[in-house]
């Protein structure tokens, strides 16, 4: 078996040899032609807006899954019943939503679902 050191030396030599090349004399060419005027900047495509469904009354885990499948990427869960945090969304029910049903939002818009613990 070839020692690792020999392989590393071989790679180092190949690397150095690849960087070495013959120098070519500088060309005495005319300066490049002036660049064509830049085309006017096109407006960015408008963001796709997604209609917010009504998820009040649904299981929080199901509601988050539904929103993600629609394309929303910034969905958070909050509490409305005095608990501090939502630990297991499957044990919570959505009682409020920050965006009204039917409201059209960008995919990265912040959506907060106010949840109450089941039981």
């Amino acid at each position: 078996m070839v020692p690792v050191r020999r392989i590393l030396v071989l790679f180092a030599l190949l690397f150095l040899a690849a960087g070495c090349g013959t120098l070519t004399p500088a060309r005495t060419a005319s300066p490049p032609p002036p660049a064509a005027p830049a085309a006017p900047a096109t407006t960015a495509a408008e963001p796709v807006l997604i209609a917010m469904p009504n998820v009040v009354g649904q299981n929080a885990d199901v509601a988050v899954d539904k929103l993600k499948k629609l394309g929303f990427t910034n969905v958070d869960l909050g509490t409305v019943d005095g608990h501090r945090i939502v630990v297991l969304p499957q044990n919570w029910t959505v009682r409020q939503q920050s965006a009204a049903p039917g409201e059209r939002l960008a995919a990265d818009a912040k959506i907060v679902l106010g949840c109450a613990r089941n039981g």
Side-chain angles (χ1 to χ4, degrees):
M1 183 172 192
V2 178
V4 175
R5 185 175 180 181
R6 286 186 185 178
I7 294 173
L8 291 175
V9 170
L10 178 64
F11 279 124
L13 289 174
L14 289 173
F15 182 73
L16 290 173
C20 297
T22 59
L23 295 175
T24 57
R27 289 188 188 177
T28 55
S30 61
T42 59
T43 58
E46 297 217 10
V48 176
L49 298 179
I50 306 167
M52 177 70 183
N54 184 7
V55 294
V56 172
Q58 294 183 10
N59 177 280
D61 198 33
V62 172
V64 169
D65 187 50
K66 181 177 186 177
L67 294 174
K68 295 216 183 246
K69 284 182 180 177
L70 285 173
F72 291 109
T73 59
N74 195 3
V75 180
D76 281 338
L77 299 176
T79 65
V80 294
D81 63 356
H83 288 86
R84 289 185 170 222
I85 59 171
V86 175
V87 177
L88 297 171
Q90 64 266 28
N91 295 335
W92 295 73
T93 300
V94 177
R95 297 288 183 223
Q96 298 175 350
Q97 59 187 57
S98 62
E103 186 176 349
R104 299 187 64 75
L105 304 168
D108 62 347
K110 177 74 148 183
I111 298 172
V112 179
L113 303 179
C115 303
R117 183 152 168 75
N118 298 337

